[in-house]
Amino acid sequence: MNVAKSGYRVFSANSSAACTELAKKITERLGVELGKSVVFQESNRETRVDVKESVRGQTIFIIQTIPRDVNTAIMELLVMAYALKTSCAKNIIGVIPYFPYSKQCKMRKRGSIVCKLLASMLAKAGLTHIITMDLHQKEIQGFFSFPVDNLRASPFLLQYIQEEVPDYRNAIIVAKSPSAAKRAQSYAERLRLGLAVMHGEAQCSESDMADGRHSPPCVRNTSGHPGLELPSGKQQAPFPGIELPMMMAKEKPPITVVGDVGGRIAIIVDDIIDDVEDFVAAAEILKERGAYKIYIMATHGLLSADAPRLIEESAIDEVVVTNTVPHEVQKLQCPKIKTVDVSMILAEAIRRIHNGESMAYLFRNITTDD
């Protein structure tokens, strides 16, 4: 394709060479060259972006993969988007396969919904559209004031199971927690396999920070400041007729498996695998229940901290993730980690958006629970 006549450019906003690999694969599939720009960190760690070609009146796609240094990657994207906006680009579309801060999409105690803040920042910087993949919560799309295309990696992971997992017909899809049951059910139905759900207390689980089991705080007896206080034992309500019911603390049982995994291949599916302690604990339980092989399928392989070492020493046989996040270093540390390439669907999404074609083809046979 002649880049000068194509009417659009594809840029990479990453300053790290390892993070530009996905952008190169996408441009190769599109038959275009990667836009000429320089993204670098100055000596004082400020981000600087120089666009080396004219973008006036054109549609620009910015591909930004998120490395471990999340905040630097966000600033690179914001600064590049603003640079293109001030250079009179017609449309600026962000291709962000893994959307950062997506786990911070709920209010927790006195925290904030950082994902909403990031969505506002991207809009202010000049983005007019976003292509992403497997948002942690689909409701995140409502944080944006412009269109969001939330692509799915499940067709690629399902294909991997069918082609690379020996005797996959003897497998069972496992949800690591009840919250992941819908995703697991979607996989199980399309593969015509059984479903198992793990339930119980998981140490340091994400939901523990938001489920309110340690609320309300202890009531302090104050004589100088009357107000509405929660009843505790025989404590008298401060106002007659106003008395709230006693709040019972949550208690989760030990981890149990609902479903028969004995003599089967257990395939745990999730959207993100970051800290792997929960997955390692789940694998040990599944081994005790008789599963003879354990696979983990996830879209985004963040694999932070000691994740490669923990996976290598665990009962997990294989971890399969896509290349939405660069993890070549982790693969060198742990040969159990395998990668599935999703550049094809990202390139097709770019082509269809530029040509004004429907995106429905990319979502065929995709359920709302996927």
Side-chain angles (χ1 to χ4, degrees):
M1 182 183 294
N2 189 333
V3 177
K5 296 181 180 180
S6 64
Y8 73 96
R9 297 284 194 279
V10 180
F11 287 87
S12 173
N14 288 110
S15 58
S16 170
C19 297
T20 60
E21 290 302 317
L22 181 60
K24 291 177 181 178
K25 289 183 179 181
I26 292 173
T27 52
E28 287 175 2
R29 291 184 179 276
L30 289 170
V32 301
E33 295 178 1
L34 200 59
K36 297 176 181 178
S37 64
V38 178
V39 183
F40 61 97
Q41 310 298 317
E42 294 187 344
S43 57
N44 61 355
R45 301 301 296 167
E46 288 184 358
T47 299
R48 181 177 291 274
V49 173
D50 290 328
V51 180
K52 299 295 187 180
E53 57 184 287
S54 175
V55 296
R56 183 178 296 271
Q58 298 202 24
T59 297
I60 306 299
F61 293 88
I62 307 175
I63 301 173
Q64 179 70 327
T65 52
I66 307 298
R68 289 190 176 186
D69 192 354
V70 177
N71 296 327
T72 297
I74 291 172
M75 279 305 301
E76 290 170 349
L77 177 60
L78 293 171
V79 174
M80 174 164 274
Y82 192 66
L84 294 168
K85 178 183 177 181
T86 55
S87 298
C88 300
K90 182 180 179 181
N91 294 304
I92 304 172
I93 301 172
V95 182
I96 314 171
Y98 166 65
F99 194 80
Y101 287 99
S102 59
K103 283 190 174 182
Q104 297 190 46
C105 61
K106 298 178 182 178
M107 181 64 74
R108 290 172 178 160
K109 297 184 180 179
R110 295 180 182 87
S112 62
I113 306 177
V114 184
C115 195
K116 168 62 177 173
L117 171 64
L118 181 55
S120 301
M121 292 168 64
L122 293 173
K124 192 68 175 178
L127 288 180
T128 58
H129 194 145
I130 276 183
I131 302 170
T132 187
M133 180 168 283
D134 282 337
L135 287 170
H136 187 56
Q137 298 288 342
K138 298 178 183 64
E139 292 77 9
I140 291 173
Q141 296 175 78
F143 293 163
F144 294 87
S145 58
F146 49 77
V148 177
D149 285 309
N150 183 27
L151 304 177
R152 306 293 197 273
S154 59
F156 298 91
L157 297 176
L158 290 169
Q159 183 181 19
Y160 184 94
I161 292 173
Q162 292 173 320
E163 296 179 357
E164 302 296 334
V165 176
D167 193 23
Y168 84 92
R169 289 293 182 187
N170 189 37
I172 185 169
I173 304 299
V174 180
K176 185 172 62 70
S177 63
S179 61
K182 287 186 176 181
R183 180 187 300 271
Q185 182 180 0
S186 174
Y187 275 66
E189 288 175 350
R190 281 183 283 175
L191 290 168
R192 312 297 194 268
L193 298 176
L195 175 67
V197 179
M198 304 190 73
H199 172 66
E201 183 67 51
Q203 298 297 320
C204 301
S205 67
E206 177 190 348
S207 60
D208 288 351
M209 296 183 285
D211 64 2
R213 70 178 63 188
H214 303 301
S215 296
C218 296
V219 177
R220 293 180 296 178
N221 293 325
T222 57
S223 57
H225 182 71
L228 180 61
E229 297 181 356
L230 297 177
S232 176
K234 295 183 179 180
Q235 181 180 348
Q236 184 68 31
F239 300 108
I242 300 178
E243 189 166 338
L244 298 179
M246 181 66 68
M247 295 185 180
M248 302 297 295
K250 288 186 179 181
E251 290 294 338
K252 292 186 179 180
I255 295 179
T256 57
V257 181
V258 181
D260 182 17
V261 298
R264 297 196 176 191
I265 301 170
I267 302 176
I268 303 174
V269 297
D270 213 335
D271 61 329
I272 299 173
I273 175 169
D274 189 1
D275 297 324
V276 300
E277 286 85 355
D278 288 352
F279 291 93
V280 171
E284 291 176 357
I285 296 294
L286 292 171
K287 278 286 187 182
E288 292 174 3
R289 294 299 180 92
Y292 69 92
K293 266 194 174 182
I294 298 170
Y295 290 78
I296 295 176
M297 300 280 170
T299 303
H300 310 296
L302 306 186
L303 302 171
S304 301
D306 292 332
R309 179 183 60 81
L310 294 174
I311 292 171
E312 185 66 25
E313 297 172 356
S314 71
I316 299 170
D317 292 283
E318 198 166 283
V319 174
V320 183
V321 293
T322 71
N323 57 344
T324 55
V325 177
H327 51 263
E328 294 304 318
V329 174
Q330 291 90 327
K331 287 180 68 175
L332 293 174
Q333 297 171 348
C334 177
K336 292 182 180 180
I337 301 172
K338 308 295 180 184
T339 307
V340 175
D341 182 23
V342 293
S343 62
M344 178 191 304
I345 193 171
L346 294 170
E348 181 63 14
I350 291 173
R351 189 192 68 79
R352 286 176 174 270
I353 290 173
H354 172 66
N355 293 333
E357 299 177 18
S358 171
M359 298 285 283
Y361 178 77
L362 303 182
F363 294 93
R364 68 193 190 285
N365 299 326
I366 300 293
T367 64
T368 56
D369 297 330
D370 200 351

